[in-house]
Amino acid sequence: MARRSFVAGNWKMNKTPSESRTLALDLRARLEKYTKCDIAIFPTYLSVAVVSEVLKGSNIDVGTQNMHWEKFGAYTGAVSPQMLVDAGVRDVIVGHSERRQYFGDNDEKVNKRIFAALAHNIKPIVCVGETKDQRLANVTEDIIRTQVLGALIGITAEQMAGITIAYEPVWAIGTGLTATPAQAQDVHAFIRGLVRSLYTNEVAEALRIQYGGSVKADNAASLLSQPDIDGALVGGASLVAADFEAIVKAAK
Ligand code: PGA
């Protein structure tokens, strides 16, 4: 089954609102012609309004890097799904390893965020990945299995259509140590197999699995040519318009 590629740019804690506006304008102009893949960018909460204004009517979706699962209330510092929808957000990253590492995110919270996102028609990108020690200890598949099963508890086959999974080996994020295409392909095929065993072959074949971790202009094509790699979740290189464009261009 042909899956549409999906390239996402995670800006992390970078770019002021005015810098975000400039980058979004540049991306809008550059990426207009790439109609064969889906594209989304993820600025900080503070820049979402200005970026979604700039990208209105374009082929680039706007998302956020996290989201609370509650609708409103006494949750200091948090942002709710309906606030995001009102601001033009259509996508959200959940369970990024930096959220897990620095902000106490875990599989249970990831599961709650997925449910809340889907209930508001926001499409989640669910991040999973092993650390360097876990890879060296040969427990990569156990870690991925636990994270995927934990994230998808209670999610129906129908709901799976709104979900993207991103395989992001923690040792490859921001380090310049990209997984080899073969290493990434192995884990992507493992994830697809897991989803097949949880749901149906049809659900597994329709699922898009992005690779993330030091994706750059010069390694994107070899990663994206792997049969089970359906796109990229790009950090550092998404902050430079020409680099992000080169990655989008490399997508199938
Ligand atoms: P990186 O980040 O491309 O800078 O390694 C990827 C990510 O964290 O999503």
Side-chain angles (χ1 to χ4, degrees):
M1 177 199 239
R3 292 177 292 269
R4 233 176 116 77
S5 302
F6 182 15
V7 177
N10 173 9
W11 292 5
K12 308 195 179 184
M13 198 175 74
N14 294 292
K15 304 286 173 191
T16 63
S18 37
E19 290 166 348
S20 299
R21 185 170 192 283
T22 306
L23 179 55
L25 279 167
D26 194 357
L27 289 172
R28 183 177 179 135
R30 286 171 182 274
L31 301 183
E32 203 177 27
K33 59 179 177 281
Y34 300 100
T35 53
K36 289 200 179 116
C37 82
D38 292 335
I39 307 168
I41 55 174
F42 298 79
T44 67
Y45 286 133
L46 199 59
S47 294
V48 154
V50 61
V51 169
S52 78
E53 184 64 38
V54 166
L55 297 179
K56 201 173 274 172
S58 77
N59 60 334
I60 310 173
D61 267 7
V62 182
T64 53
Q65 302 163 20
N66 189 32
M67 180 200 82
H68 203 314
W69 53 85
E70 294 292 349
K71 291 189 167 72
F72 54 84
Y75 302 99
T76 301
V79 177
S80 80
Q82 68 230 60
M83 293 169 190
L84 297 180
V85 169
D86 190 64
V89 166
R90 314 304 317 267
D91 304 80
V92 66
I93 297 171
V94 299
H96 190 280
S97 64
E98 287 151 17
R99 299 293 319 173
R100 295 181 194 252
Q101 186 180 352
Y102 305 124
F103 302 100
D105 222 345
N106 57 34
D107 296 333
E108 193 189 333
K109 292 178 185 173
V110 166
N111 181 251
K112 287 182 177 169
R113 293 189 214 285
I114 295 172
F115 269 99
L118 294 173
H120 289 84
N121 280 320
I122 300 174
K123 296 173 286 190
I125 296 177
V126 183
C127 301
V128 298
E130 81 288 0
T131 63
K132 186 176 173 209
D133 286 349
Q134 289 163 341
R135 176 160 282 263
L136 291 175
N138 265 323
V139 293
T140 297
E141 292 190 351
D142 299 324
I143 298 297
I144 300 296
R145 183 185 299 108
T146 303
Q147 291 177 344
V148 170
L149 297 186
L152 299 182
I153 290 173
I155 299 289
T156 65
E158 211 169 59
Q159 286 174 312
M160 283 302 290
I163 294 178
T164 297
I165 292 181
Y167 168 55
E168 297 209 302
V170 178
W171 49 271
I173 295 178
T175 57
L177 291 172
T178 321
T180 64
Q183 278 175 327
Q185 166 58 27
D186 279 353
V187 180
H188 282 233
F190 175 73
I191 293 171
R192 200 175 306 285
L194 258 182
V195 169
R196 188 174 290 118
S197 69
L198 285 174
Y199 299 95
T200 61
N201 188 49
E202 202 183 359
V203 168
E205 289 302 315
L207 174 71
R208 291 192 294 189
I209 309 174
Q210 294 175 324
Y211 169 78
S214 299
V215 177
K216 307 287 174 203
D218 60 1
N219 61 24
S222 57
L223 286 160
L224 290 165
S225 67
Q226 297 297 310
D228 287 295
I229 301 186
D230 308 309
L233 180 51
V234 186
S238 73
L239 297 169
V240 179
D243 291 356
F244 192 60
E245 180 185 358
I247 294 166
V248 168
K249 198 174 172 187
K252 284 172 272 196

Short mmCIF file of all heavy atoms in Angstrom, two decimals, residues 8-44:
data_model
loop_
_atom_site.label_atom_id
_atom_site.label_comp_id
_atom_site.label_asym_id
_atom_site.label_seq_id
_atom_site.Cartn_x
_atom_site.Cartn_y
_atom_site.Cartn_z
N ALA A 8 7.94 16.33 9.29
CA ALA A 8 7.56 17.25 10.36
C ALA A 8 8.80 17.95 10.90
O ALA A 8 9.87 17.34 11.00
CB ALA A 8 6.86 16.47 11.48
N GLY A 9 8.65 19.22 11.24
CA GLY A 9 9.76 19.99 11.80
C GLY A 9 9.47 20.37 13.24
O GLY A 9 8.52 21.11 13.52
N ASN A 10 10.26 19.83 14.15
CA ASN A 10 10.10 20.12 15.58
C ASN A 10 11.09 21.22 15.95
O ASN A 10 12.29 20.98 16.03
CB ASN A 10 10.39 18.82 16.36
CG ASN A 10 10.41 19.03 17.87
OD1 ASN A 10 10.06 20.10 18.37
ND2 ASN A 10 10.85 18.00 18.59
N TRP A 11 10.56 22.41 16.15
CA TRP A 11 11.43 23.56 16.42
C TRP A 11 11.97 23.57 17.85
O TRP A 11 12.81 24.38 18.19
CB TRP A 11 10.70 24.88 16.13
CG TRP A 11 10.39 25.11 14.67
CD1 TRP A 11 10.62 24.25 13.63
CD2 TRP A 11 9.82 26.30 14.09
NE1 TRP A 11 10.23 24.82 12.45
CE2 TRP A 11 9.73 26.07 12.70
CE3 TRP A 11 9.38 27.51 14.62
CZ2 TRP A 11 9.20 27.04 11.82
CZ3 TRP A 11 8.86 28.47 13.75
CH2 TRP A 11 8.78 28.22 12.36
N LYS A 12 11.42 22.72 18.71
CA LYS A 12 11.83 22.67 20.13
C LYS A 12 11.79 24.08 20.74
O LYS A 12 10.97 24.89 20.31
CB LYS A 12 13.21 22.01 20.25
CG LYS A 12 13.26 20.66 19.52
CD LYS A 12 14.43 19.82 19.89
CE LYS A 12 14.34 18.50 19.12
NZ LYS A 12 15.39 17.56 19.47
N MET A 13 12.65 24.38 21.72
CA MET A 13 12.59 25.70 22.36
C MET A 13 13.50 26.68 21.61
O MET A 13 14.53 27.14 22.13
CB MET A 13 12.98 25.60 23.84
CG MET A 13 12.53 26.83 24.64
SD MET A 13 12.84 26.65 26.41
CE MET A 13 14.61 26.88 26.49
N ASN A 14 13.13 26.95 20.36
CA ASN A 14 13.89 27.85 19.50
C ASN A 14 12.93 28.81 18.81
O ASN A 14 11.77 28.47 18.56
CB ASN A 14 14.64 27.06 18.44
CG ASN A 14 15.72 26.17 19.05
OD1 ASN A 14 16.73 26.65 19.57
ND2 ASN A 14 15.49 24.87 19.02
N LYS A 15 13.44 29.98 18.48
CA LYS A 15 12.73 31.02 17.71
C LYS A 15 11.71 31.81 18.56
O LYS A 15 10.77 31.26 19.12
CB LYS A 15 11.99 30.43 16.50
CG LYS A 15 12.87 29.64 15.54
CD LYS A 15 13.74 30.54 14.71
CE LYS A 15 14.73 29.71 13.88
NZ LYS A 15 15.77 30.55 13.25
N THR A 16 11.95 33.11 18.62
CA THR A 16 10.97 34.02 19.23
C THR A 16 9.78 34.10 18.28
O THR A 16 9.87 33.68 17.13
CB THR A 16 11.58 35.43 19.36
OG1 THR A 16 11.85 35.91 18.02
CG2 THR A 16 12.87 35.43 20.16
N PRO A 17 8.67 34.70 18.73
CA PRO A 17 7.54 34.85 17.81
C PRO A 17 7.93 35.59 16.52
O PRO A 17 7.51 35.18 15.42
CB PRO A 17 6.51 35.62 18.63
CG PRO A 17 6.80 35.17 20.04
CD PRO A 17 8.30 35.06 20.11
N SER A 18 8.72 36.65 16.60
CA SER A 18 9.05 37.35 15.35
C SER A 18 9.99 36.52 14.47
O SER A 18 9.84 36.50 13.24
CB SER A 18 9.58 38.77 15.59
OG SER A 18 10.37 38.82 16.72
N GLU A 19 10.92 35.81 15.07
CA GLU A 19 11.78 34.91 14.27
C GLU A 19 10.94 33.77 13.65
O GLU A 19 11.19 33.34 12.53
CB GLU A 19 12.87 34.29 15.15
CG GLU A 19 13.95 35.28 15.60
CD GLU A 19 14.81 34.74 16.73
OE1 GLU A 19 14.47 33.70 17.35
OE2 GLU A 19 15.84 35.37 17.03
N SER A 20 9.96 33.31 14.40
CA SER A 20 9.08 32.24 13.90
C SER A 20 8.32 32.71 12.67
O SER A 20 8.15 31.97 11.70
CB SER A 20 8.07 31.81 14.97
OG SER A 20 8.75 31.31 16.10
N ARG A 21 7.86 33.95 12.72
CA ARG A 21 7.12 34.52 11.61
C ARG A 21 7.99 34.53 10.35
O ARG A 21 7.56 34.11 9.28
CB ARG A 21 6.68 35.94 11.99
CG ARG A 21 5.83 36.60 10.98
CD ARG A 21 5.22 37.92 11.50
NE ARG A 21 4.19 38.32 10.56
CZ ARG A 21 4.47 38.88 9.39
NH1 ARG A 21 5.71 39.15 9.06
NH2 ARG A 21 3.49 39.17 8.55
N THR A 22 9.22 34.97 10.51
CA THR A 22 10.15 35.04 9.37
C THR A 22 10.40 33.66 8.78
O THR A 22 10.35 33.46 7.57
CB THR A 22 11.50 35.66 9.84
OG1 THR A 22 11.20 36.91 10.46
CG2 THR A 22 12.46 35.86 8.69
N LEU A 23 10.67 32.68 9.65
CA LEU A 23 10.94 31.32 9.17
C LEU A 23 9.70 30.72 8.50
O LEU A 23 9.80 30.09 7.44
CB LEU A 23 11.42 30.43 10.33
CG LEU A 23 11.73 28.97 10.01
CD1 LEU A 23 12.75 28.83 8.87
CD2 LEU A 23 12.26 28.24 11.27
N ALA A 24 8.53 30.96 9.09
CA ALA A 24 7.30 30.40 8.51
C ALA A 24 7.02 31.00 7.12
O ALA A 24 6.60 30.30 6.21
CB ALA A 24 6.12 30.65 9.44
N LEU A 25 7.29 32.30 6.97
CA LEU A 25 7.10 32.95 5.65
C LEU A 25 8.03 32.33 4.62
O LEU A 25 7.64 32.03 3.49
CB LEU A 25 7.38 34.46 5.77
CG LEU A 25 6.25 35.31 6.33
CD1 LEU A 25 6.76 36.70 6.69
CD2 LEU A 25 5.11 35.40 5.31
N ASP A 26 9.26 32.10 5.01
CA ASP A 26 10.26 31.50 4.12
C ASP A 26 9.82 30.07 3.74
O ASP A 26 9.84 29.70 2.56
CB ASP A 26 11.62 31.49 4.86
CG ASP A 26 12.80 31.21 3.93
OD1 ASP A 26 12.56 30.96 2.74
OD2 ASP A 26 13.95 31.23 4.40
N LEU A 27 9.38 29.30 4.72
CA LEU A 27 8.96 27.92 4.45
C LEU A 27 7.73 27.89 3.54
O LEU A 27 7.65 27.08 2.63
CB LEU A 27 8.65 27.19 5.76
CG LEU A 27 9.88 26.87 6.63
CD1 LEU A 27 9.44 26.33 7.99
CD2 LEU A 27 10.80 25.86 5.93
N ARG A 28 6.81 28.79 3.79
CA ARG A 28 5.60 28.82 2.94
C ARG A 28 5.99 28.99 1.47
O ARG A 28 5.50 28.29 0.59
CB ARG A 28 4.68 29.96 3.39
CG ARG A 28 3.41 29.96 2.59
CD ARG A 28 2.38 31.00 2.98
NE ARG A 28 1.27 30.85 2.06
CZ ARG A 28 -0.01 30.83 2.37
NH1 ARG A 28 -0.38 31.02 3.61
NH2 ARG A 28 -0.93 30.64 1.46
N ALA A 29 6.88 29.93 1.21
CA ALA A 29 7.29 30.21 -0.16
C ALA A 29 8.05 29.02 -0.77
O ALA A 29 7.83 28.63 -1.91
CB ALA A 29 8.16 31.46 -0.19
N ARG A 30 8.95 28.42 0.00
CA ARG A 30 9.77 27.32 -0.52
C ARG A 30 9.01 26.02 -0.73
O ARG A 30 9.32 25.25 -1.63
CB ARG A 30 10.89 27.00 0.47
CG ARG A 30 12.00 27.98 0.52
CD ARG A 30 12.90 27.63 1.70
NE ARG A 30 13.98 28.58 1.83
CZ ARG A 30 15.13 28.48 1.18
NH1 ARG A 30 15.37 27.45 0.38
NH2 ARG A 30 16.07 29.39 1.34
N LEU A 31 8.05 25.74 0.16
CA LEU A 31 7.48 24.38 0.20
C LEU A 31 6.18 24.23 -0.59
O LEU A 31 5.66 23.12 -0.72
CB LEU A 31 7.27 23.94 1.65
CG LEU A 31 8.53 23.92 2.52
CD1 LEU A 31 8.22 23.39 3.91
CD2 LEU A 31 9.63 23.07 1.88
N GLU A 32 5.70 25.34 -1.09
CA GLU A 32 4.44 25.34 -1.83
C GLU A 32 4.39 24.26 -2.92
O GLU A 32 3.36 23.64 -3.14
CB GLU A 32 4.32 26.72 -2.48
CG GLU A 32 2.94 27.15 -2.83
CD GLU A 32 2.99 28.58 -3.41
OE1 GLU A 32 4.03 28.96 -3.98
OE2 GLU A 32 1.98 29.28 -3.28
N LYS A 33 5.52 24.03 -3.57
CA LYS A 33 5.53 23.12 -4.73
C LYS A 33 5.62 21.63 -4.36
O LYS A 33 5.49 20.78 -5.23
CB LYS A 33 6.66 23.49 -5.68
CG LYS A 33 8.06 23.46 -5.09
CD LYS A 33 9.08 23.83 -6.18
CE LYS A 33 10.51 23.89 -5.70
NZ LYS A 33 10.82 25.14 -4.98
N TYR A 34 5.82 21.33 -3.09
CA TYR A 34 5.95 19.91 -2.71
C TYR A 34 4.60 19.35 -2.28
O TYR A 34 4.28 19.30 -1.09
CB TYR A 34 7.00 19.75 -1.60
CG TYR A 34 8.35 20.25 -2.03
CD1 TYR A 34 8.80 21.50 -1.64
CD2 TYR A 34 9.17 19.48 -2.85
CE1 TYR A 34 10.04 21.98 -2.04
CE2 TYR A 34 10.41 19.94 -3.26
CZ TYR A 34 10.83 21.20 -2.85
OH TYR A 34 12.05 21.66 -3.26
N THR A 35 3.83 18.95 -3.26
CA THR A 35 2.45 18.56 -2.96
C THR A 35 2.30 17.06 -2.75
O THR A 35 1.22 16.59 -2.41
CB THR A 35 1.52 19.00 -4.11
OG1 THR A 35 2.08 18.48 -5.33
CG2 THR A 35 1.44 20.51 -4.21
N LYS A 36 3.40 16.31 -2.93
CA LYS A 36 3.28 14.85 -2.83
C LYS A 36 3.49 14.33 -1.42
O LYS A 36 3.40 13.14 -1.16
CB LYS A 36 4.27 14.18 -3.78
CG LYS A 36 3.83 14.36 -5.23
CD LYS A 36 4.49 13.34 -6.14
CE LYS A 36 4.04 13.51 -7.57
NZ LYS A 36 5.12 13.91 -8.47
N CYS A 37 3.84 15.22 -0.49
CA CYS A 37 3.98 14.73 0.89
C CYS A 37 3.29 15.68 1.85
O CYS A 37 3.01 16.83 1.51
CB CYS A 37 5.44 14.50 1.24
SG CYS A 37 6.35 15.92 1.73
N ASP A 38 2.97 15.18 3.02
CA ASP A 38 2.37 16.02 4.05
C ASP A 38 3.50 16.69 4.84
O ASP A 38 4.53 16.07 5.09
CB ASP A 38 1.50 15.18 4.98
CG ASP A 38 0.26 14.65 4.27
OD1 ASP A 38 -0.17 15.28 3.29
OD2 ASP A 38 -0.27 13.60 4.69
N ILE A 39 3.26 17.93 5.22
CA ILE A 39 4.28 18.71 5.91
C ILE A 39 3.64 19.38 7.13
O ILE A 39 2.54 19.93 7.03
CB ILE A 39 4.87 19.81 5.00
CG1 ILE A 39 5.36 19.22 3.66
CG2 ILE A 39 6.00 20.56 5.70
CD1 ILE A 39 5.68 20.28 2.60
N ALA A 40 4.32 19.34 8.26
CA ALA A 40 3.83 20.06 9.44
C ALA A 40 5.02 20.63 10.20
O ALA A 40 6.10 20.04 10.21
CB ALA A 40 3.02 19.13 10.35
N ILE A 41 4.80 21.79 10.82
CA ILE A 41 5.86 22.33 11.66
C ILE A 41 5.32 22.58 13.06
O ILE A 41 4.13 22.83 13.27
CB ILE A 41 6.49 23.62 11.09
CG1 ILE A 41 5.43 24.69 10.81
CG2 ILE A 41 7.27 23.31 9.81
CD1 ILE A 41 6.05 26.00 10.38
N PHE A 42 6.22 22.49 14.03
CA PHE A 42 5.86 22.52 15.44
C PHE A 42 6.66 23.59 16.18
O PHE A 42 7.71 23.30 16.75
CB PHE A 42 6.10 21.13 16.05
CG PHE A 42 5.25 20.06 15.41
CD1 PHE A 42 5.58 19.51 14.18
CD2 PHE A 42 4.09 19.62 16.03
CE1 PHE A 42 4.78 18.54 13.57
CE2 PHE A 42 3.28 18.66 15.43
CZ PHE A 42 3.63 18.11 14.20
N PRO A 43 6.17 24.85 16.14
CA PRO A 43 6.83 25.92 16.90
C PRO A 43 6.48 25.83 18.39
O PRO A 43 5.74 24.92 18.78
CB PRO A 43 6.24 27.18 16.28
CG PRO A 43 4.94 26.78 15.68
CD PRO A 43 4.98 25.30 15.42
N THR A 44 6.99 26.73 19.19
CA THR A 44 6.60 26.77 20.60
C THR A 44 5.14 27.22 20.71
O THR A 44 4.60 27.83 19.77
CB THR A 44 7.45 27.76 21.42
OG1 THR A 44 7.14 29.08 20.98
CG2 THR A 44 8.94 27.48 21.27
#
